[in-house]
């Protein structure tokens, strides 16, 4: 959500910043802008994508400096427009030439704006960020770092910022609180960015800034300190992302690439963690807390969107495999609901990015109330991983497509591992675990079999793509899969879709079904198979067209459905790892057929770092 990149060093900043923006564009794509210090502050910004900014800049030599910052925006305050695009300047009347890029929300911007206007400041945009720019300018007395520090002390909310000042052309100041920011460390150069994807082409050494920390960077020095100006020594770490992982390669879209990466992603997630022979699971991140976790009495999974759907599946798995009461909750609701945390409660935050503001805040709240906290997270070193007591990395590699696919499979796989790990400390026998884990090891190959049906799925989608309302139904562990199928379809194809437990349909939504309405039903062989067949009949008798996801070999289901996608037969607890795949492919094809930008769906951005 909003991408920031900043550079100080010996190279031309413009090319480096634009390249960084392109890599960060999945974080927001409403507008883009750049500021370079080169004989004064040079600034250019525009509504629209990074390529529009690139065209606008052309070869303008005013932007030939070696220090600068840039931004790609997902609008929070103020509509997407040229004037609301970042960077924002302080009051030009003051002549400092300060420019700032920001990700986050300044919550007390209205009060600060009033104060600044009373002091003669005139604003050029509707953004909270411009208020911060003016505040920094208001405090500026020849020391950029000091004025940033002073301004941030007045601010409530979340921010990751980068600031430059024409009067100090050799200094870049960056700071963060609650929004991600890392500093790539090269030789005599620093590349600051919201995430590693804008850094890895230049260096694999990086510093993850802590909350409430400021860094002052020059070409040959850096100092990090708290808001109270106490110097701190940050940890340098090696970035695990490599360039190839974040390149599109021969695929037309990241989403398709990531769907096809799923077999390999799950292999990586499982590697070294599963011993099928003795029915055990090794989760290194949990070792230290094994005794405490052995006393778990309740598990609460928290997440948003796709991650919450994985959490819903996880709660079925924990109850089924570990026999521990469990539920899943929207992190955003949990946080404000005054949830009761009893002794022995473990709260698990599920997140691809590890930066989702709602999930992070809920995790903090759970921890404050005394819960033990775990993170099932993909991005190494992200905020949630750093703030949870322990965790399990998903290891699925970087996910760039805004619609989450391989991370979902990683979240479900990690949940199977966690539930088995907990179960083996309780009632799950080695034999039961062993047979399930043996199948789990084959899941990557089985996913490939589902991927092979992509063309057939596209054909089916072609029949229904003009329909504006779809239903997705499932039961048990496949109910969250139905929710996920609906979410995928609506977020990238803008088709209205609802996912729900198949039985719930009768309690109202059935009124929506009219002749030819596509109803996707996960109808794999399971403990509730017969009930799902009855639900299919209910849909058909109202004229709905059923597209089933069924178990290979279940040829009779063809008699009661218009279309069927088959998935290999696996135990019920593992089914979501296969049943979701045709739904991801279905959504992808629907979006392409409708002519939408699959990787940059309207109004969305990867990693929602505001509440
Ligand atoms: C949907 C999607 C979102 C995310 C949600 C949580 O395709 O990607 O619903 O799942 O915003 O994001 P993370 O997993 O980064 O916490």
């Amino acid at each position: 959500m909003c991408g920031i990149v900043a550079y100080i060093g010996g190279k031309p900043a413009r090319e480096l910043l634009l390249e960084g923006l392109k890599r960060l564009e999945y974080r927001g794509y409403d507008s883009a802008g750049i500021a370079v210090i080169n004989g004064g502050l040079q600034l250019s910004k525009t509504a629209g994508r990074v390529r529009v900014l690139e065209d606008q800049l052309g070869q303008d030599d005013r932007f030939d400096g070696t220090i600068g910052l840039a931004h790609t925006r997902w609008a929070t305050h103020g509509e997407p427009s040229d004037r609301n695009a970042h960077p924002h300047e302080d009051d030009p009347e003051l002549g400092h030439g300060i420019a700032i890029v920001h990700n986050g929300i300044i919550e007390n911007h209205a009060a600060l704006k009033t104060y600044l206007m009373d002091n003669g400041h005139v604003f050029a945009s509707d953004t909270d960020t411009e208020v911060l720019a003016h505040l920094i300018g208001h405090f500026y007395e020849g020391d950029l770092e000091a004025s940033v520090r002073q301004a941030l002390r007045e601010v409530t909310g979340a921010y990751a910022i980068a600031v430059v000042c024409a009067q100090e052309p050799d200094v870049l100041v960056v700071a963060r609180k609650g929004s991600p920011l890392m500093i790539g460390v090269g030789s005599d150069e620093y590349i600051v960015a919201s995430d590693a994807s804008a850094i890895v082409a230049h260096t694999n050494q990086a510093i993850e800034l802590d909350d409430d920390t400021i860094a002052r960077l020059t070409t040959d020095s850096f100092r990090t300190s708290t808001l109270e100006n106490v110097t701190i020594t940050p940890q340098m770490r090696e970035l695990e992302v490599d360039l190839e992982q974040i390149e599109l390669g021969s695929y037309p879209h990241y989403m398709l690439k990531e769907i096809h990466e799923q077999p390999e992603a799950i292999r990586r997630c499982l590697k070294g963690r599963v011993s099928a022979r003795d029915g055990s699971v090794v989760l290194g991140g949990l070792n230290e807390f094994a005794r405490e976790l052995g006393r778990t009495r309740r598990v609460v999974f928290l997440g948003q969107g796709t991650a919450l759907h994985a959490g819903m599946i996880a709660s079925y798995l924990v109850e089924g495999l570990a026999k521990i009461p469990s539920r899943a909750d929207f992190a955003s609701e949990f946080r404000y609901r005054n949830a009761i945390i009893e002794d022995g409660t473990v709260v698990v935050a599920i997140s691809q990015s590890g930066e989702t503001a709602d999930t992070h805040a809920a995790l903090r709240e759970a921890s404050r109330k005394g819960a033990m906290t775990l993170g099932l997270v993909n991005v190494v070193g992200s905020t949630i991983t750093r703030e949870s007591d322990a965790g399990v990395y998903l290891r699925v590699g970087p996910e760039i497509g805004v619609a989450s696919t391989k991370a979902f499979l990683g979240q479900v796989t990690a949940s199977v591992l966690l539930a088995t790990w907990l179960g083996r400390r309780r009632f799950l026998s080695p034999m039961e675990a062993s047979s399930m884990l043996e199948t789990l090891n084959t899941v990557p190959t089985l996913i490939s079999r589902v991927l092979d049906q992509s063309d057939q799925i596209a054909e089916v989608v072609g029949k229904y793509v003009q329909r504006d309302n779809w239903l997705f139904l499932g039961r048990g562990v496949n109910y969250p899969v139905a929710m996920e199928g609906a979410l995928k379809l609506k977020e990238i194809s803008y088709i209205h879709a609802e996912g729900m437990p198949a039985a719930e349909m009768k309690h109202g939504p059935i009124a929506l079904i009219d002749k030819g309405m596509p109803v996707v039903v996960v109808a794999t062989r399971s403990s509730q198979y017969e009930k799902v067949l009855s639900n299919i009949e209910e849909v058909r008798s109202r004229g709905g067209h059923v597209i089933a996801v069924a178990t290979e070999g279940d040829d009779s289901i063809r008699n009661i459905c218009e279309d069927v996608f088959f998935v290999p037969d696996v135990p019920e607890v593992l089914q979501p790892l296969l049943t979701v795949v045709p739904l991801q492919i279905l959504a992808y094809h629907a979006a392409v057929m409708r002519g939408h930008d699959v990787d940059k769906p309207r109004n969305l951005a990867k990693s929602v770092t505001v509440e």
Side-chain angles (χ1 to χ4, degrees), residues 303-308 350-356 359 384 399 401-405 407 411 484 487-488 491 604-608:
Q304 298 291 146
T306 290
L308 176 64
I350 303 190
S351 175
Q352 188 286 128
S353 61
E355 304 290 352
T356 299
T359 312
I384 290 174
E399 189 177 69
V402 167
S404 186
T405 52
Q411 289 157 354
E484 177 60 8
L487 175 59
K488 286 288 91 83
E491 71 181 324
L604 292 175
K606 193 86 177 156
S607 184
V608 183

Side-chain angles (χ1 to χ4, degrees), residues 7-17 34-40 42 60-69 169:
Y7 176 77
I8 180 164
K11 297 181 188 143
R14 173 196 4 214
E15 286 68 23
L16 217 135
L17 294 172
I34 185 172
V36 170
I37 305 289
N38 184 27
Q42 315 298 339
D60 189 339
D61 59 10
R62 285 175 301 150
F63 289 84
D64 283 351
T66 56
I67 169 173
L69 38 79

